[in-house]
Amino acid sequence: MTISYLPAGPADDVLYELWEGEEEALAVAAAAGSRAAEWIRSLPGAPSPCPVGAWLAGELPKAIEAATSSLDPGDCDRMGLEGEMVDGTGGVDDGIRSSLTAVPCAVQDARWLTPDQQIRLVAVASLITGAVRLLAEDPGAAITTGELSRMWALVDHAVA
């Protein structure tokens, strides 16, 4: 659990100051997401039309690009108006997170892909999901210690 030092209240009332290196970290994330999405689009297509093939060719790369380009350190775990803990989303909506978490199950139906390609897809989705959660739980540490940068380097390794 993260302790947020942002004042409680509506988002409009909160003055958000950028973390040192935040803009660069978010640019690196977006670039890594674009490379990962491009790699997924370059994978062989299904030999015949099928739902998983269409999803891998279209929705998944879009979800990866959307996730990595919409990261928001200000959407972190915090105290709500009533003093309750509110889980941050890191700027990534439920639909995108759902697409990313479906990869380990869906990839099993992509039998035309090699096991190497399948595990790399799982690694990419897992790393991006983890980066989103890391950013939501402790944005300061994720950005200033280089933890996010390391995750994007791993994504790049998975798609190389």
Side-chain angles (χ1 to χ4, degrees):
M1 176 167 50
T2 299
I3 298 173
S4 176
Y5 296 104
L6 296 173
D12 294 341
D13 292 345
V14 177
L15 295 176
Y16 178 75
E17 293 185 29
L18 295 177
W19 296 98
E20 184 178 330
E22 179 177 330
E23 290 176 336
E24 296 84 6
L26 296 179
V28 169
S34 292
R35 288 187 296 274
E38 202 53 44
W39 173 77
I40 293 168
R41 289 182 184 106
S42 75
L43 291 172
S48 58
C50 66
V52 171
W55 179 74
L56 285 172
E59 185 180 332
L60 181 60
K62 287 178 188 175
I64 286 172
E65 287 175 321
T68 57
S69 66
S70 67
L71 292 173
D72 180 5
D75 189 358
C76 59
D77 296 346
R78 61 197 173 280
M79 296 298 288
L81 293 174
E82 305 295 322
E84 76 281 6
M85 281 302 300
V86 176
D87 286 336
T89 66
V92 178
D93 71 34
D94 289 339
I96 293 170
R97 282 196 313 273
S98 177
S99 286
L100 294 173
T101 58
V103 171
C105 295
V107 77
Q108 296 175 45
D109 291 332
R111 292 188 172 100
W112 65 92
L113 297 176
T114 67
D116 179 66
Q117 292 166 329
Q118 290 175 328
I119 197 64
R120 289 166 57 184
L121 277 168
V122 172
V124 167
S126 177
L127 286 162
I128 293 171
T129 302
V132 169
R133 193 65 231 144
L134 179 65
L135 191 64
E137 288 178 2
D138 194 352
I143 293 167
T144 61
T145 64
E147 291 176 38
L148 274 180
S149 296
R150 178 71 178 146
M151 293 187 94
W152 305 129
L154 292 171
V155 167
D156 282 338
H157 182 78
V159 301

